[in-house]
Short mmCIF file of all heavy atoms in Angstrom, two decimals:
data_model
loop_
_atom_site.label_atom_id
_atom_site.label_comp_id
_atom_site.label_asym_id
_atom_site.label_seq_id
_atom_site.Cartn_x
_atom_site.Cartn_y
_atom_site.Cartn_z
N GLN X 470 -77.25 116.44 -139.79
CA GLN X 470 -78.21 116.83 -140.78
C GLN X 470 -77.48 117.69 -141.82
O GLN X 470 -76.73 118.57 -141.47
CB GLN X 470 -79.37 117.59 -140.18
CG GLN X 470 -80.46 117.94 -141.07
CD GLN X 470 -81.74 118.18 -140.38
OE1 GLN X 470 -82.38 117.20 -139.88
NE2 GLN X 470 -82.19 119.39 -140.19
N ILE X 471 -77.79 117.47 -143.03
CA ILE X 471 -77.17 118.23 -144.16
C ILE X 471 -78.30 118.96 -144.90
O ILE X 471 -79.32 118.36 -145.31
CB ILE X 471 -76.43 117.29 -145.13
CG1 ILE X 471 -75.22 116.67 -144.42
CG2 ILE X 471 -75.95 118.12 -146.33
CD1 ILE X 471 -74.56 115.57 -145.19
N VAL X 472 -78.14 120.23 -145.11
CA VAL X 472 -79.04 121.05 -145.89
C VAL X 472 -78.25 121.54 -147.15
O VAL X 472 -77.19 122.09 -146.99
CB VAL X 472 -79.58 122.26 -145.12
CG1 VAL X 472 -80.50 123.09 -145.97
CG2 VAL X 472 -80.24 121.81 -143.84
N GLY X 473 -78.78 121.23 -148.28
CA GLY X 473 -78.00 121.64 -149.46
C GLY X 473 -78.78 121.42 -150.74
O GLY X 473 -80.04 121.23 -150.76
N LYS X 474 -78.11 121.47 -151.86
CA LYS X 474 -78.66 121.35 -153.16
C LYS X 474 -78.01 120.15 -153.88
O LYS X 474 -76.81 119.95 -153.84
CB LYS X 474 -78.35 122.62 -153.98
CG LYS X 474 -79.17 122.75 -155.30
CD LYS X 474 -78.91 124.06 -155.91
CE LYS X 474 -79.79 124.31 -157.12
NZ LYS X 474 -81.24 124.47 -156.76
N VAL X 475 -78.84 119.38 -154.59
CA VAL X 475 -78.38 118.25 -155.32
C VAL X 475 -77.61 118.69 -156.56
O VAL X 475 -78.16 119.43 -157.36
CB VAL X 475 -79.53 117.29 -155.70
CG1 VAL X 475 -79.05 116.20 -156.59
CG2 VAL X 475 -80.27 116.75 -154.53
N VAL X 476 -76.36 118.24 -156.69
CA VAL X 476 -75.59 118.62 -157.86
C VAL X 476 -75.23 117.45 -158.79
O VAL X 476 -74.75 117.66 -159.85
CB VAL X 476 -74.23 119.31 -157.40
CG1 VAL X 476 -74.52 120.64 -156.72
CG2 VAL X 476 -73.45 118.40 -156.45
N LYS X 477 -75.58 116.24 -158.33
CA LYS X 477 -75.34 115.07 -159.16
C LYS X 477 -76.29 113.95 -158.75
O LYS X 477 -76.55 113.78 -157.54
CB LYS X 477 -73.87 114.59 -159.04
CG LYS X 477 -73.56 113.39 -159.94
CD LYS X 477 -72.14 112.98 -159.77
CE LYS X 477 -71.76 111.79 -160.68
NZ LYS X 477 -70.38 111.36 -160.49
N ILE X 478 -76.76 113.22 -159.72
CA ILE X 478 -77.57 112.05 -159.45
C ILE X 478 -76.96 110.82 -160.08
O ILE X 478 -76.87 110.77 -161.30
CB ILE X 478 -79.05 112.22 -160.04
CG1 ILE X 478 -79.69 113.48 -159.42
CG2 ILE X 478 -79.84 111.02 -159.79
CD1 ILE X 478 -81.08 113.79 -160.05
N ALA X 479 -76.42 109.95 -159.30
CA ALA X 479 -75.75 108.76 -159.82
C ALA X 479 -76.77 107.81 -160.34
O ALA X 479 -76.58 107.25 -161.43
CB ALA X 479 -74.87 108.09 -158.75
N ASP X 480 -77.80 107.58 -159.58
CA ASP X 480 -78.94 106.74 -159.99
C ASP X 480 -80.03 107.05 -159.02
O ASP X 480 -79.95 108.01 -158.27
CB ASP X 480 -78.64 105.22 -159.95
CG ASP X 480 -77.98 104.72 -158.69
OD1 ASP X 480 -78.36 105.26 -157.62
OD2 ASP X 480 -77.18 103.74 -158.70
N ALA X 481 -81.17 106.28 -158.98
CA ALA X 481 -82.27 106.62 -158.17
C ALA X 481 -82.14 106.47 -156.70
O ALA X 481 -83.10 106.81 -155.99
CB ALA X 481 -83.52 105.90 -158.66
N ASP X 482 -80.97 106.01 -156.16
CA ASP X 482 -80.82 105.93 -154.78
C ASP X 482 -79.51 106.51 -154.27
O ASP X 482 -79.13 106.41 -153.07
CB ASP X 482 -80.95 104.47 -154.24
CG ASP X 482 -79.96 103.50 -154.84
OD1 ASP X 482 -78.82 103.96 -155.20
OD2 ASP X 482 -80.32 102.34 -155.06
N THR X 483 -78.78 107.21 -155.18
CA THR X 483 -77.53 107.83 -154.84
C THR X 483 -77.36 109.22 -155.45
O THR X 483 -77.48 109.33 -156.65
CB THR X 483 -76.33 106.93 -155.24
OG1 THR X 483 -76.47 105.65 -154.68
CG2 THR X 483 -75.01 107.50 -154.71
N ILE X 484 -77.16 110.22 -154.56
CA ILE X 484 -77.03 111.58 -155.05
C ILE X 484 -75.82 112.24 -154.40
O ILE X 484 -75.28 111.74 -153.44
CB ILE X 484 -78.28 112.42 -154.74
CG1 ILE X 484 -78.53 112.47 -153.18
CG2 ILE X 484 -79.50 111.90 -155.54
CD1 ILE X 484 -79.74 113.35 -152.82
N THR X 485 -75.42 113.35 -154.95
CA THR X 485 -74.39 114.25 -154.34
C THR X 485 -75.01 115.57 -153.96
O THR X 485 -75.67 116.18 -154.86
CB THR X 485 -73.19 114.46 -155.28
OG1 THR X 485 -72.62 113.17 -155.61
CG2 THR X 485 -72.10 115.31 -154.67
N VAL X 486 -74.78 115.98 -152.71
CA VAL X 486 -75.43 117.25 -152.26
C VAL X 486 -74.29 118.27 -151.88
O VAL X 486 -73.32 117.89 -151.21
CB VAL X 486 -76.24 116.96 -150.96
CG1 VAL X 486 -76.79 118.24 -150.38
CG2 VAL X 486 -77.42 116.02 -151.36
N LEU X 487 -74.46 119.44 -152.31
CA LEU X 487 -73.52 120.57 -152.02
C LEU X 487 -74.14 121.41 -150.88
O LEU X 487 -75.28 121.86 -151.03
CB LEU X 487 -73.34 121.46 -153.28
CG LEU X 487 -72.47 122.70 -153.06
CD1 LEU X 487 -70.96 122.28 -152.90
CD2 LEU X 487 -72.58 123.64 -154.31
N ASP X 488 -73.40 121.50 -149.77
CA ASP X 488 -73.89 122.24 -148.62
C ASP X 488 -73.45 123.72 -148.70
O ASP X 488 -72.77 124.11 -149.63
CB ASP X 488 -73.53 121.59 -147.35
CG ASP X 488 -72.04 121.68 -146.94
OD1 ASP X 488 -71.32 122.46 -147.63
OD2 ASP X 488 -71.63 120.91 -146.08
N ALA X 489 -73.81 124.52 -147.69
CA ALA X 489 -73.55 125.88 -147.64
C ALA X 489 -72.04 126.23 -147.58
O ALA X 489 -71.64 127.31 -147.92
CB ALA X 489 -74.26 126.57 -146.48
N ASP X 490 -71.24 125.26 -147.08
CA ASP X 490 -69.79 125.47 -147.00
C ASP X 490 -69.12 125.00 -148.28
O ASP X 490 -67.89 124.89 -148.29
CB ASP X 490 -69.23 124.69 -145.79
CG ASP X 490 -69.77 125.18 -144.46
OD1 ASP X 490 -69.92 126.39 -144.36
OD2 ASP X 490 -70.01 124.38 -143.56
N LYS X 491 -69.92 124.66 -149.25
CA LYS X 491 -69.42 124.26 -150.58
C LYS X 491 -68.76 122.90 -150.51
O LYS X 491 -67.84 122.57 -151.27
CB LYS X 491 -68.52 125.28 -151.21
CG LYS X 491 -69.19 126.60 -151.49
CD LYS X 491 -68.23 127.57 -152.21
CE LYS X 491 -68.95 128.91 -152.49
NZ LYS X 491 -68.06 129.87 -153.29
N THR X 492 -69.15 122.10 -149.49
CA THR X 492 -68.66 120.72 -149.37
C THR X 492 -69.66 119.75 -150.04
O THR X 492 -70.87 119.87 -149.80
CB THR X 492 -68.48 120.33 -147.89
OG1 THR X 492 -67.58 121.26 -147.28
CG2 THR X 492 -68.02 118.91 -147.73
N GLN X 493 -69.16 118.88 -150.82
CA GLN X 493 -70.00 117.88 -151.45
C GLN X 493 -70.10 116.61 -150.62
O GLN X 493 -69.08 116.14 -150.08
CB GLN X 493 -69.49 117.55 -152.88
CG GLN X 493 -69.59 118.74 -153.86
CD GLN X 493 -69.34 118.29 -155.33
OE1 GLN X 493 -69.30 117.11 -155.59
NE2 GLN X 493 -69.23 119.27 -156.14
N HIS X 494 -71.28 116.13 -150.55
CA HIS X 494 -71.54 114.90 -149.77
C HIS X 494 -72.23 113.84 -150.66
O HIS X 494 -73.26 114.16 -151.28
CB HIS X 494 -72.48 115.14 -148.54
CG HIS X 494 -71.98 116.23 -147.66
ND1 HIS X 494 -71.15 116.01 -146.63
CD2 HIS X 494 -72.23 117.55 -147.68
CE1 HIS X 494 -70.89 117.12 -146.01
NE2 HIS X 494 -71.53 118.10 -146.65
N ARG X 495 -71.65 112.64 -150.75
CA ARG X 495 -72.32 111.57 -151.50
C ARG X 495 -73.31 110.87 -150.61
O ARG X 495 -72.92 110.35 -149.57
CB ARG X 495 -71.27 110.61 -152.10
CG ARG X 495 -71.80 109.72 -153.19
CD ARG X 495 -70.66 109.22 -154.07
NE ARG X 495 -71.26 108.46 -155.17
CZ ARG X 495 -71.06 107.12 -155.39
NH1 ARG X 495 -70.30 106.53 -154.51
NH2 ARG X 495 -71.55 106.58 -156.44
N ILE X 496 -74.59 110.87 -151.05
CA ILE X 496 -75.64 110.34 -150.15
C ILE X 496 -76.25 109.10 -150.77
O ILE X 496 -76.61 109.05 -151.91
CB ILE X 496 -76.78 111.39 -149.99
CG1 ILE X 496 -76.19 112.78 -149.57
CG2 ILE X 496 -77.77 110.89 -149.04
CD1 ILE X 496 -75.54 112.83 -148.21
#
């Protein structure tokens, strides 16, 4: 489970989330 903030929206089904460790995850 990832808890974070969205920092990028590629399109309506793909986003990038920044977690508390400052790691970016492409979702």
Side-chain angles (χ1 to χ4, degrees):
Q470 185 157 286
I471 295 170
V472 179
K474 192 175 186 70
V475 176
V476 292
K477 182 179 179 181
I478 301 175
D480 53 32
D482 59 32
T483 306
I484 59 177
T485 300
V486 175
L487 178 70
D488 68 16
D490 295 323
K491 298 185 179 181
T492 300
Q493 292 193 9
H494 305 272
R495 196 156 184 245
I496 309 295

